[in-house]
Amino acid sequence: MKCSYAFTLAAATLTVASTSAATASSQKAKTRELTEYTATAGQQPELVDYSPWTDDIRDSDAATTLTAYVGDDSIKRVRFKVAYPDGTMSTFELGSSSDTTVALTTWTYSVDTTGQSGTYSYKVRMADDDGHIIDSDWIEFLVADSDAELIAAARSKISALCDDAWPASNLCAKFIRHGFHDCVGGCDGCIDMSNGDNAGLDVTIAALEPVVDMFEHHGVTRADIWVLAALEASVWSQQTSTDNDVEVTTTYPFTMNWIGRPNCEDIASDPEVDCVDGDCSAERGPHRDLPGPDLNTHELLEYFQTNFNFDTRDTVAIMGAHTLGELARENSGFDGPVGWTSNNQFLTNNYYGELIGGTSAT
């Protein structure tokens, strides 16, 4: 039995709830209020606000207007420098100024992003009459023209969350648990946090919220992000550690090809969607019966056959998820800081091997 087969099945489980793909052309613009600002006489140039914002996403069917809101009572010029996805970079080009708004001078510069998707970066250079010149940091945004590019960008953000949390916390192991609990009964981007079996998943809901906020305006739902987090976590966990270096040895990519899964609040009229107090949201999802720790073999097989139409081989395979993570009494009722295996940090065959008294599966 190969552990990787187990997670291929897990990936399939998380993908079956997909609806038809949403297209990038249906993306909606994200807005925010301009930063409040009060001018101070004699100050140096200051980039108070800007657009696109860091990690913003734009369509590739139109030019992108870079906007800098600059605070200075004697601003002279503002220039923009652009780094393109193909590795080329512009010089600092002079922007155009417009009427002052809320004590700020607005400068704009148009970048031709049509037909060239990918990650763009830009820098703002400000100068005033006194000779002060201030450069901003690089500001990065994404131009996407397909679902695949949106998915790839979201995967990158999820992977970065796991990187940032490691080694203090194995967030990716938590994402895999999160994905399973969400997909019992359907992957709908909602979990019933009043159910004690879901204790601890508030951590992963909060961790993924910024990614959801970033992509939900572009047809990528919360349900999509939660599924993708479990899939990317399975990829991230295929690593081998040598001293302090981590080498990624991805064999199974766990792809996701579709976006547009409905969140539970989008299908709340369905009589089977029985959310907490009838109020559906990320933490107030429908009640789902999860498999308990005291199930015998027959009951376990029956549970997975009923809920996922798994046969015996499928059920044995997906149990390999227990290779990862640890047990916290406050979450599961069990205290197990080393988890179920001697090495619970990486996706290996250890769960199967140690079940039969060895150290690895054959």
Side-chain angles (χ1 to χ4, degrees):
M1 171 68 68
K2 295 205 181 215
C3 179
S4 33
Y5 168 74
F7 284 86
T8 301
L9 288 171
T13 301
L14 296 172
T15 306
V16 290
S18 169
T19 63
S20 59
T23 62
S25 61
S26 66
Q27 296 173 1
K28 297 178 285 185
K30 183 169 65 174
T31 60
R32 71 174 183 183
E33 293 183 1
L34 186 64
T35 301
E36 294 183 2
Y37 177 75
T38 302
T40 303
Q43 69 185 52
Q44 293 187 2
E46 179 184 358
L47 182 61
V48 178
D49 215 333
Y50 50 88
S51 176
W53 312 299
T54 302
D55 291 330
D56 200 0
I57 306 172
R58 298 298 174 96
D59 294 330
S60 64
D61 56 359
T64 299
T65 299
L66 308 182
T67 304
Y69 301 97
V70 179
D72 192 338
D73 59 355
S74 60
I75 193 68
K76 183 177 182 181
R77 62 182 179 273
V78 172
R79 298 180 184 273
F80 297 82
K81 186 173 188 176
V82 181
Y84 293 86
D86 62 4
T88 60
M89 187 177 300
S90 73
T91 58
F92 276 104
E93 302 292 340
L94 184 64
S96 301
S97 63
S98 58
D99 294 338
T100 300
T101 305
V102 290
L104 301 174
T105 303
T106 304
W107 292 76
T108 59
Y109 179 74
S110 181
V111 180
D112 184 9
T113 54
T114 56
Q116 186 174 178
S117 58
T119 300
Y120 288 74
S121 299
Y122 69 99
K123 178 178 286 194
V124 180
R125 172 167 289 179
M126 301 153 284
D128 63 13
D129 290 334
D130 296 327
H132 298 127
I133 297 177
I134 304 294
D135 284 357
S136 74
D137 293 331
W138 284 102
I139 302 161
E140 185 175 288
F141 66 97
L142 174 71
V143 173
D145 63 3
S146 70
D147 295 346
E149 290 177 351
L150 289 169
I151 291 170
R155 293 190 83 120
S156 177
K157 297 299 179 184
I158 293 166
S159 181
L161 291 176
C162 294
D163 289 338
D164 292 344
W166 179 266
S169 172
N170 190 339
L171 190 58
C172 266
K174 294 178 174 65
F175 285 159
I176 291 174
R177 175 182 179 239
H178 182 128
F180 174 72
H181 284 232
D182 174 40
C183 288
V184 171
C187 309
D188 58 8
C190 298
I191 287 175
D192 177 10
M193 288 307 300
S194 67
N195 181 348
D197 288 340
N198 293 320
L201 294 180
D202 53 322
V203 172
T204 46
I205 292 174
L208 291 171
E209 186 174 3
V211 185
V212 172
D213 290 343
M214 188 183 307
F215 288 91
E216 65 179 351
H217 302 276
H218 302 271
V220 186
T221 66
R222 184 176 67 246
D224 291 330
I225 294 297
W226 285 14
V227 167
L228 188 59
L231 298 177
E232 179 58 24
S234 298
V235 173
W236 189 92
S237 299
Q238 294 179 70
Q239 304 178 67
T240 56
S241 179
T242 304
D243 295 328
N244 294 323
D245 297 325
V246 176
E247 178 186 357
V248 178
T249 56
T250 302
T251 303
Y252 293 86
F254 300 101
T255 58
M256 188 172 97
N257 300 317
W258 307 104
I259 60 175
R261 296 166 180 79
N263 300 328
C264 69
E265 61 265 32
D266 300 326
I267 52 175
S269 60
D270 187 329
E272 294 186 5
V273 181
D274 184 18
C275 295
V276 179
D277 298 329
D279 181 18
C280 295
S281 65
E283 296 188 5
R284 301 171 67 86
H287 177 79
R288 309 295 191 195
D289 289 324
L290 293 155
D294 55 350
L295 295 181
N296 60 35
T297 300
H298 173 75
E299 292 167 335
L300 183 68
L301 294 173
E302 183 180 24
Y303 177 90
F304 279 95
Q305 196 283 323
T306 300
N307 285 274
F308 296 103
N309 198 29
F310 279 8
D311 61 19
T312 300
R313 180 179 176 85
D314 299 336
T315 300
V316 172
I318 203 169
M319 290 299 289
H322 294 96
T323 296
L324 292 166
E326 57 191 45
L327 308 172
R329 190 180 300 279
E330 62 271 23
N331 294 338
S332 66
F334 295 91
D335 184 24
V338 297
W340 297 99
T341 64
S342 57
N343 180 0
N344 63 338
Q345 302 299 322
F346 303 106
L347 182 56
T348 68
N349 286 324
N350 285 0
Y351 178 77
Y352 302 106
E354 295 185 23
L355 271 179
I356 59 175
T359 57
S360 64
T362 56

PDB file of all heavy atoms in Angstrom, residues 118-148:
ATOM      1  N   GLY A 118       0.555  37.587 -15.141  1.00  0.00           N
ATOM      2  CA  GLY A 118       1.654  37.236 -14.244  1.00  0.00           C
ATOM      3  C   GLY A 118       1.801  38.263 -13.142  1.00  0.00           C
ATOM      4  O   GLY A 118       0.932  39.117 -12.926  1.00  0.00           O
ATOM      5  N   THR A 119       2.924  38.210 -12.440  1.00  0.00           N
ATOM      6  CA  THR A 119       3.174  39.090 -11.302  1.00  0.00           C
ATOM      7  C   THR A 119       3.923  40.339 -11.755  1.00  0.00           C
ATOM      8  O   THR A 119       4.990  40.246 -12.358  1.00  0.00           O
ATOM      9  CB  THR A 119       3.976  38.363 -10.223  1.00  0.00           C
ATOM     10  OG1 THR A 119       3.233  37.212  -9.771  1.00  0.00           O
ATOM     11  CG2 THR A 119       4.251  39.272  -9.039  1.00  0.00           C
ATOM     12  N   TYR A 120       3.352  41.471 -11.459  1.00  0.00           N
ATOM     13  CA  TYR A 120       3.958  42.770 -11.733  1.00  0.00           C
ATOM     14  C   TYR A 120       4.401  43.399 -10.418  1.00  0.00           C
ATOM     15  O   TYR A 120       3.820  43.146  -9.356  1.00  0.00           O
ATOM     16  CB  TYR A 120       2.957  43.721 -12.402  1.00  0.00           C
ATOM     17  CG  TYR A 120       2.613  43.406 -13.829  1.00  0.00           C
ATOM     18  CD1 TYR A 120       1.790  42.328 -14.150  1.00  0.00           C
ATOM     19  CD2 TYR A 120       3.075  44.203 -14.868  1.00  0.00           C
ATOM     20  CE1 TYR A 120       1.449  42.044 -15.463  1.00  0.00           C
ATOM     21  CE2 TYR A 120       2.747  43.927 -16.197  1.00  0.00           C
ATOM     22  CZ  TYR A 120       1.939  42.849 -16.477  1.00  0.00           C
ATOM     23  OH  TYR A 120       1.602  42.576 -17.779  1.00  0.00           O
ATOM     24  N   SER A 121       5.419  44.253 -10.499  1.00  0.00           N
ATOM     25  CA  SER A 121       5.834  45.050  -9.345  1.00  0.00           C
ATOM     26  C   SER A 121       6.063  46.477  -9.815  1.00  0.00           C
ATOM     27  O   SER A 121       6.454  46.707 -10.959  1.00  0.00           O
ATOM     28  CB  SER A 121       7.128  44.501  -8.721  1.00  0.00           C
ATOM     29  OG  SER A 121       6.962  43.181  -8.267  1.00  0.00           O
ATOM     30  N   TYR A 122       5.794  47.417  -8.938  1.00  0.00           N
ATOM     31  CA  TYR A 122       6.103  48.802  -9.280  1.00  0.00           C
ATOM     32  C   TYR A 122       6.620  49.540  -8.053  1.00  0.00           C
ATOM     33  O   TYR A 122       6.359  49.162  -6.909  1.00  0.00           O
ATOM     34  CB  TYR A 122       4.891  49.520  -9.888  1.00  0.00           C
ATOM     35  CG  TYR A 122       3.736  49.784  -8.951  1.00  0.00           C
ATOM     36  CD1 TYR A 122       3.558  51.038  -8.355  1.00  0.00           C
ATOM     37  CD2 TYR A 122       2.779  48.804  -8.694  1.00  0.00           C
ATOM     38  CE1 TYR A 122       2.482  51.297  -7.519  1.00  0.00           C
ATOM     39  CE2 TYR A 122       1.707  49.050  -7.858  1.00  0.00           C
ATOM     40  CZ  TYR A 122       1.559  50.300  -7.275  1.00  0.00           C
ATOM     41  OH  TYR A 122       0.487  50.549  -6.445  1.00  0.00           O
ATOM     42  N   LYS A 123       7.377  50.579  -8.337  1.00  0.00           N
ATOM     43  CA  LYS A 123       7.974  51.406  -7.293  1.00  0.00           C
ATOM     44  C   LYS A 123       7.642  52.863  -7.608  1.00  0.00           C
ATOM     45  O   LYS A 123       7.612  53.268  -8.771  1.00  0.00           O
ATOM     46  CB  LYS A 123       9.483  51.193  -7.249  1.00  0.00           C
ATOM     47  CG  LYS A 123      10.227  52.038  -6.224  1.00  0.00           C
ATOM     48  CD  LYS A 123      11.714  51.725  -6.230  1.00  0.00           C
ATOM     49  CE  LYS A 123      11.996  50.391  -5.568  1.00  0.00           C
ATOM     50  NZ  LYS A 123      13.447  50.219  -5.268  1.00  0.00           N
ATOM     51  N   VAL A 124       7.390  53.641  -6.579  1.00  0.00           N
ATOM     52  CA  VAL A 124       7.046  55.052  -6.733  1.00  0.00           C
ATOM     53  C   VAL A 124       8.208  55.913  -6.237  1.00  0.00           C
ATOM     54  O   VAL A 124       8.714  55.702  -5.127  1.00  0.00           O
ATOM     55  CB  VAL A 124       5.763  55.399  -5.940  1.00  0.00           C
ATOM     56  CG1 VAL A 124       5.420  56.880  -6.103  1.00  0.00           C
ATOM     57  CG2 VAL A 124       4.599  54.516  -6.391  1.00  0.00           C
ATOM     58  N   ARG A 125       8.636  56.877  -7.072  1.00  0.00           N
ATOM     59  CA  ARG A 125       9.688  57.820  -6.677  1.00  0.00           C
ATOM     60  C   ARG A 125       9.079  59.222  -6.582  1.00  0.00           C
ATOM     61  O   ARG A 125       8.511  59.731  -7.541  1.00  0.00           O
ATOM     62  CB  ARG A 125      10.835  57.827  -7.676  1.00  0.00           C
ATOM     63  CG  ARG A 125      11.880  58.927  -7.428  1.00  0.00           C
ATOM     64  CD  ARG A 125      13.133  58.692  -8.243  1.00  0.00           C
ATOM     65  NE  ARG A 125      13.885  57.555  -7.720  1.00  0.00           N
ATOM     66  CZ  ARG A 125      15.031  57.102  -8.261  1.00  0.00           C
ATOM     67  NH1 ARG A 125      15.518  57.694  -9.350  1.00  0.00           N
ATOM     68  NH2 ARG A 125      15.662  56.070  -7.730  1.00  0.00           N
ATOM     69  N   MET A 126       9.199  59.833  -5.397  1.00  0.00           N
ATOM     70  CA  MET A 126       8.590  61.130  -5.127  1.00  0.00           C
ATOM     71  C   MET A 126       9.682  62.185  -4.919  1.00  0.00           C
ATOM     72  O   MET A 126      10.699  61.916  -4.285  1.00  0.00           O
ATOM     73  CB  MET A 126       7.712  61.042  -3.876  1.00  0.00           C
ATOM     74  CG  MET A 126       6.591  60.002  -3.986  1.00  0.00           C
ATOM     75  SD  MET A 126       6.090  59.339  -2.377  1.00  0.00           S
ATOM     76  CE  MET A 126       7.456  58.196  -2.027  1.00  0.00           C
ATOM     77  N   ALA A 127       9.445  63.381  -5.447  1.00  0.00           N
ATOM     78  CA  ALA A 127      10.401  64.482  -5.289  1.00  0.00           C
ATOM     79  C   ALA A 127       9.638  65.778  -5.048  1.00  0.00           C
ATOM     80  O   ALA A 127       8.557  65.988  -5.619  1.00  0.00           O
ATOM     81  CB  ALA A 127      11.281  64.608  -6.530  1.00  0.00           C
ATOM     82  N   ASP A 128      10.186  66.660  -4.210  1.00  0.00           N
ATOM     83  CA  ASP A 128       9.536  67.946  -3.967  1.00  0.00           C
ATOM     84  C   ASP A 128      10.482  69.091  -4.322  1.00  0.00           C
ATOM     85  O   ASP A 128      11.629  68.887  -4.763  1.00  0.00           O
ATOM     86  CB  ASP A 128       9.048  68.052  -2.525  1.00  0.00           C
ATOM     87  CG  ASP A 128      10.170  68.005  -1.498  1.00  0.00           C
ATOM     88  OD1 ASP A 128      11.355  68.132  -1.878  1.00  0.00           O
ATOM     89  OD2 ASP A 128       9.868  67.828  -0.296  1.00  0.00           O
ATOM     90  N   ASP A 129      10.023  70.316  -4.142  1.00  0.00           N
ATOM     91  CA  ASP A 129      10.795  71.502  -4.527  1.00  0.00           C
ATOM     92  C   ASP A 129      12.078  71.656  -3.718  1.00  0.00           C
ATOM     93  O   ASP A 129      13.011  72.341  -4.149  1.00  0.00           O
ATOM     94  CB  ASP A 129       9.938  72.763  -4.363  1.00  0.00           C
ATOM     95  CG  ASP A 129       8.825  72.823  -5.399  1.00  0.00           C
ATOM     96  OD1 ASP A 129       9.008  72.226  -6.471  1.00  0.00           O
ATOM     97  OD2 ASP A 129       7.787  73.447  -5.121  1.00  0.00           O
ATOM     98  N   ASP A 130      12.147  71.040  -2.547  1.00  0.00           N
ATOM     99  CA  ASP A 130      13.330  71.163  -1.692  1.00  0.00           C
ATOM    100  C   ASP A 130      14.396  70.132  -2.024  1.00  0.00           C
ATOM    101  O   ASP A 130      15.434  70.067  -1.353  1.00  0.00           O
ATOM    102  CB  ASP A 130      12.928  71.020  -0.218  1.00  0.00           C
ATOM    103  CG  ASP A 130      12.003  72.134   0.238  1.00  0.00           C
ATOM    104  OD1 ASP A 130      12.162  73.269  -0.271  1.00  0.00           O
ATOM    105  OD2 ASP A 130      11.122  71.865   1.081  1.00  0.00           O
ATOM    106  N   GLY A 131      14.134  69.290  -3.045  1.00  0.00           N
ATOM    107  CA  GLY A 131      15.134  68.303  -3.451  1.00  0.00           C
ATOM    108  C   GLY A 131      15.033  66.986  -2.727  1.00  0.00           C
ATOM    109  O   GLY A 131      15.886  66.110  -2.911  1.00  0.00           O
ATOM    110  N   HIS A 132      14.026  66.828  -1.883  1.00  0.00           N
ATOM    111  CA  HIS A 132      13.833  65.535  -1.229  1.00  0.00           C
ATOM    112  C   HIS A 132      13.367  64.514  -2.254  1.00  0.00           C
ATOM    113  O   HIS A 132      12.428  64.770  -3.014  1.00  0.00           O
ATOM    114  CB  HIS A 132      12.786  65.644  -0.115  1.00  0.00           C
ATOM    115  CG  HIS A 132      13.154  66.577   0.986  1.00  0.00           C
ATOM    116  ND1 HIS A 132      12.337  67.605   1.415  1.00  0.00           N
ATOM    117  CD2 HIS A 132      14.276  66.658   1.741  1.00  0.00           C
ATOM    118  CE1 HIS A 132      12.926  68.258   2.392  1.00  0.00           C
ATOM    119  NE2 HIS A 132      14.115  67.708   2.605  1.00  0.00           N
ATOM    120  N   ILE A 133      14.022  63.362  -2.284  1.00  0.00           N
ATOM    121  CA  ILE A 133      13.621  62.260  -3.171  1.00  0.00           C
ATOM    122  C   ILE A 133      13.451  61.002  -2.317  1.00  0.00           C
ATOM    123  O   ILE A 133      14.381  60.581  -1.623  1.00  0.00           O
ATOM    124  CB  ILE A 133      14.667  62.005  -4.274  1.00  0.00           C
ATOM    125  CG1 ILE A 133      14.786  63.248  -5.178  1.00  0.00           C
ATOM    126  CG2 ILE A 133      14.282  60.778  -5.105  1.00  0.00           C
ATOM    127  CD1 ILE A 133      15.840  63.116  -6.244  1.00  0.00           C
ATOM    128  N   ILE A 134      12.275  60.428  -2.378  1.00  0.00           N
ATOM    129  CA  ILE A 134      11.958  59.248  -1.585  1.00  0.00           C
ATOM    130  C   ILE A 134      11.426  58.167  -2.516  1.00  0.00           C
ATOM    131  O   ILE A 134      10.530  58.416  -3.331  1.00  0.00           O
ATOM    132  CB  ILE A 134      10.894  59.562  -0.509  1.00  0.00           C
ATOM    133  CG1 ILE A 134      11.345  60.713   0.389  1.00  0.00           C
ATOM    134  CG2 ILE A 134      10.586  58.313   0.314  1.00  0.00           C
ATOM    135  CD1 ILE A 134      12.559  60.393   1.241  1.00  0.00           C
ATOM    136  N   ASP A 135      11.985  56.953  -2.420  1.00  0.00           N
ATOM    137  CA  ASP A 135      11.492  55.798  -3.170  1.00  0.00           C
ATOM    138  C   ASP A 135      10.656  54.911  -2.258  1.00  0.00           C
ATOM    139  O   ASP A 135      11.033  54.657  -1.101  1.00  0.00           O
ATOM    140  CB  ASP A 135      12.642  54.964  -3.733  1.00  0.00           C
ATOM    141  CG  ASP A 135      13.291  55.614  -4.942  1.00  0.00           C
ATOM    142  OD1 ASP A 135      12.808  56.685  -5.370  1.00  0.00           O
ATOM    143  OD2 ASP A 135      14.291  55.063  -5.437  1.00  0.00           O
ATOM    144  N   SER A 136       9.542  54.444  -2.769  1.00  0.00           N
ATOM    145  CA  SER A 136       8.748  53.469  -2.022  1.00  0.00           C
ATOM    146  C   SER A 136       9.384  52.094  -2.129  1.00  0.00           C
ATOM    147  O   SER A 136      10.315  51.873  -2.913  1.00  0.00           O
ATOM    148  CB  SER A 136       7.320  53.417  -2.576  1.00  0.00           C
ATOM    149  OG  SER A 136       7.305  52.742  -3.830  1.00  0.00           O
ATOM    150  N   ASP A 137       8.881  51.152  -1.344  1.00  0.00           N
ATOM    151  CA  ASP A 137       9.237  49.750  -1.547  1.00  0.00           C
ATOM    152  C   ASP A 137       8.563  49.250  -2.825  1.00  0.00           C
ATOM    153  O   ASP A 137       7.648  49.893  -3.361  1.00  0.00           O
ATOM    154  CB  ASP A 137       8.764  48.903  -0.361  1.00  0.00           C
ATOM    155  CG  ASP A 137       9.504  49.241   0.924  1.00  0.00           C
ATOM    156  OD1 ASP A 137      10.674  49.660   0.835  1.00  0.00           O
ATOM    157  OD2 ASP A 137       8.896  49.097   2.004  1.00  0.00           O
ATOM    158  N   TRP A 138       9.005  48.096  -3.310  1.00  0.00           N
ATOM    159  CA  TRP A 138       8.330  47.483  -4.445  1.00  0.00           C
ATOM    160  C   TRP A 138       6.941  47.019  -4.016  1.00  0.00           C
ATOM    161  O   TRP A 138       6.763  46.454  -2.928  1.00  0.00           O
ATOM    162  CB  TRP A 138       9.114  46.282  -4.968  1.00  0.00           C
ATOM    163  CG  TRP A 138      10.330  46.661  -5.768  1.00  0.00           C
ATOM    164  CD1 TRP A 138      11.626  46.637  -5.356  1.00  0.00           C
ATOM    165  CD2 TRP A 138      10.346  47.116  -7.127  1.00  0.00           C
ATOM    166  NE1 TRP A 138      12.459  47.056  -6.362  1.00  0.00           N
ATOM    167  CE2 TRP A 138      11.706  47.360  -7.467  1.00  0.00           C
ATOM    168  CE3 TRP A 138       9.366  47.350  -8.077  1.00  0.00           C
ATOM    169  CZ2 TRP A 138      12.084  47.817  -8.725  1.00  0.00           C
ATOM    170  CZ3 TRP A 138       9.747  47.802  -9.329  1.00  0.00           C
ATOM    171  CH2 TRP A 138      11.090  48.031  -9.656  1.00  0.00           C
ATOM    172  N   ILE A 139       5.956  47.277  -4.846  1.00  0.00           N
ATOM    173  CA  ILE A 139       4.566  46.896  -4.598  1.00  0.00           C
ATOM    174  C   ILE A 139       4.185  45.869  -5.657  1.00  0.00           C
ATOM    175  O   ILE A 139       4.309  46.109  -6.853  1.00  0.00           O
ATOM    176  CB  ILE A 139       3.634  48.116  -4.675  1.00  0.00           C
ATOM    177  CG1 ILE A 139       4.077  49.185  -3.670  1.00  0.00           C
ATOM    178  CG2 ILE A 139       2.183  47.706  -4.425  1.00  0.00           C
ATOM    179  CD1 ILE A 139       3.539  50.568  -3.972  1.00  0.00           C
ATOM    180  N   GLU A 140       3.722  44.711  -5.228  1.00  0.00           N
ATOM    181  CA  GLU A 140       3.483  43.588  -6.132  1.00  0.00           C
ATOM    182  C   GLU A 140       1.994  43.359  -6.330  1.00  0.00           C
ATOM    183  O   GLU A 140       1.208  43.413  -5.376  1.00  0.00           O
ATOM    184  CB  GLU A 140       4.134  42.331  -5.555  1.00  0.00           C
ATOM    185  CG  GLU A 140       4.084  41.104  -6.440  1.00  0.00           C
ATOM    186  CD  GLU A 140       4.860  39.946  -5.841  1.00  0.00           C
ATOM    187  OE1 GLU A 140       6.111  40.003  -5.839  1.00  0.00           O
ATOM    188  OE2 GLU A 140       4.210  39.006  -5.358  1.00  0.00           O
ATOM    189  N   PHE A 141       1.578  43.114  -7.566  1.00  0.00           N
ATOM    190  CA  PHE A 141       0.197  42.737  -7.833  1.00  0.00           C
ATOM    191  C   PHE A 141       0.162  41.718  -8.966  1.00  0.00           C
ATOM    192  O   PHE A 141       1.141  41.541  -9.699  1.00  0.00           O
ATOM    193  CB  PHE A 141      -0.669  43.966  -8.175  1.00  0.00           C
ATOM    194  CG  PHE A 141      -0.317  44.666  -9.461  1.00  0.00           C
ATOM    195  CD1 PHE A 141      -1.019  44.403 -10.632  1.00  0.00           C
ATOM    196  CD2 PHE A 141       0.697  45.613  -9.506  1.00  0.00           C
ATOM    197  CE1 PHE A 141      -0.709  45.052 -11.820  1.00  0.00           C
ATOM    198  CE2 PHE A 141       1.022  46.270 -10.691  1.00  0.00           C
ATOM    199  CZ  PHE A 141       0.316  45.990 -11.850  1.00  0.00           C
ATOM    200  N   LEU A 142      -0.955  41.042  -9.091  1.00  0.00           N
ATOM    201  CA  LEU A 142      -1.100  39.962 -10.057  1.00  0.00           C
ATOM    202  C   LEU A 142      -2.072  40.363 -11.152  1.00  0.00           C
ATOM    203  O   LEU A 142      -3.121  40.948 -10.885  1.00  0.00           O
ATOM    204  CB  LEU A 142      -1.629  38.698  -9.365  1.00  0.00           C
ATOM    205  CG  LEU A 142      -1.964  37.504 -10.265  1.00  0.00           C
ATOM    206  CD1 LEU A 142      -0.704  36.868 -10.827  1.00  0.00           C
ATOM    207  CD2 LEU A 142      -2.791  36.467  -9.498  1.00  0.00           C
ATOM    208  N   VAL A 143      -1.720  40.048 -12.377  1.00  0.00           N
ATOM    209  CA  VAL A 143      -2.635  40.164 -13.513  1.00  0.00           C
ATOM    210  C   VAL A 143      -2.948  38.745 -13.981  1.00  0.00           C
ATOM    211  O   VAL A 143      -2.036  37.985 -14.317  1.00  0.00           O
ATOM    212  CB  VAL A 143      -2.031  40.997 -14.659  1.00  0.00           C
ATOM    213  CG1 VAL A 143      -2.928  40.957 -15.887  1.00  0.00           C
ATOM    214  CG2 VAL A 143      -1.808  42.437 -14.206  1.00  0.00           C
ATOM    215  N   ALA A 144      -4.219  38.392 -13.953  1.00  0.00           N
ATOM    216  CA  ALA A 144      -4.615  37.014 -14.280  1.00  0.00           C
ATOM    217  C   ALA A 144      -5.665  37.023 -15.375  1.00  0.00           C
ATOM    218  O   ALA A 144      -6.556  37.879 -15.389  1.00  0.00           O
ATOM    219  CB  ALA A 144      -5.158  36.316 -13.041  1.00  0.00           C
ATOM    220  N   ASP A 145      -5.578  36.068 -16.297  1.00  0.00           N
ATOM    221  CA  ASP A 145      -6.574  35.963 -17.355  1.00  0.00           C
ATOM    222  C   ASP A 145      -7.170  34.573 -17.451  1.00  0.00           C
ATOM    223  O   ASP A 145      -7.825  34.232 -18.434  1.00  0.00           O
ATOM    224  CB  ASP A 145      -5.996  36.386 -18.703  1.00  0.00           C
ATOM    225  CG  ASP A 145      -4.852  35.488 -19.173  1.00  0.00           C
ATOM    226  OD1 ASP A 145      -4.550  34.506 -18.467  1.00  0.00           O
ATOM    227  OD2 ASP A 145      -4.266  35.782 -20.231  1.00  0.00           O
ATOM    228  N   SER A 146      -6.975  33.738 -16.416  1.00  0.00           N
ATOM    229  CA  SER A 146      -7.540  32.393 -16.452  1.00  0.00           C
ATOM    230  C   SER A 146      -7.715  31.871 -15.041  1.00  0.00           C
ATOM    231  O   SER A 146      -7.082  32.347 -14.089  1.00  0.00           O
ATOM    232  CB  SER A 146      -6.635  31.435 -17.236  1.00  0.00           C
ATOM    233  OG  SER A 146      -5.431  31.187 -16.519  1.00  0.00           O
ATOM    234  N   ASP A 147      -8.597  30.892 -14.906  1.00  0.00           N
ATOM    235  CA  ASP A 147      -8.784  30.232 -13.615  1.00  0.00           C
ATOM    236  C   ASP A 147      -7.491  29.593 -13.139  1.00  0.00           C
ATOM    237  O   ASP A 147      -7.166  29.617 -11.946  1.00  0.00           O
ATOM    238  CB  ASP A 147      -9.871  29.160 -13.723  1.00  0.00           C
ATOM    239  CG  ASP A 147     -11.241  29.740 -14.013  1.00  0.00           C
ATOM    240  OD1 ASP A 147     -11.414  30.965 -13.874  1.00  0.00           O
ATOM    241  OD2 ASP A 147     -12.143  28.961 -14.388  1.00  0.00           O
ATOM    242  N   ALA A 148      -6.737  29.009 -14.078  1.00  0.00           N
ATOM    243  CA  ALA A 148      -5.495  28.322 -13.708  1.00  0.00           C
ATOM    244  C   ALA A 148      -4.511  29.274 -13.053  1.00  0.00           C
ATOM    245  O   ALA A 148      -3.828  28.907 -12.090  1.00  0.00           O
ATOM    246  CB  ALA A 148      -4.873  27.675 -14.943  1.00  0.00           C
TER     247      ALA A 148
END
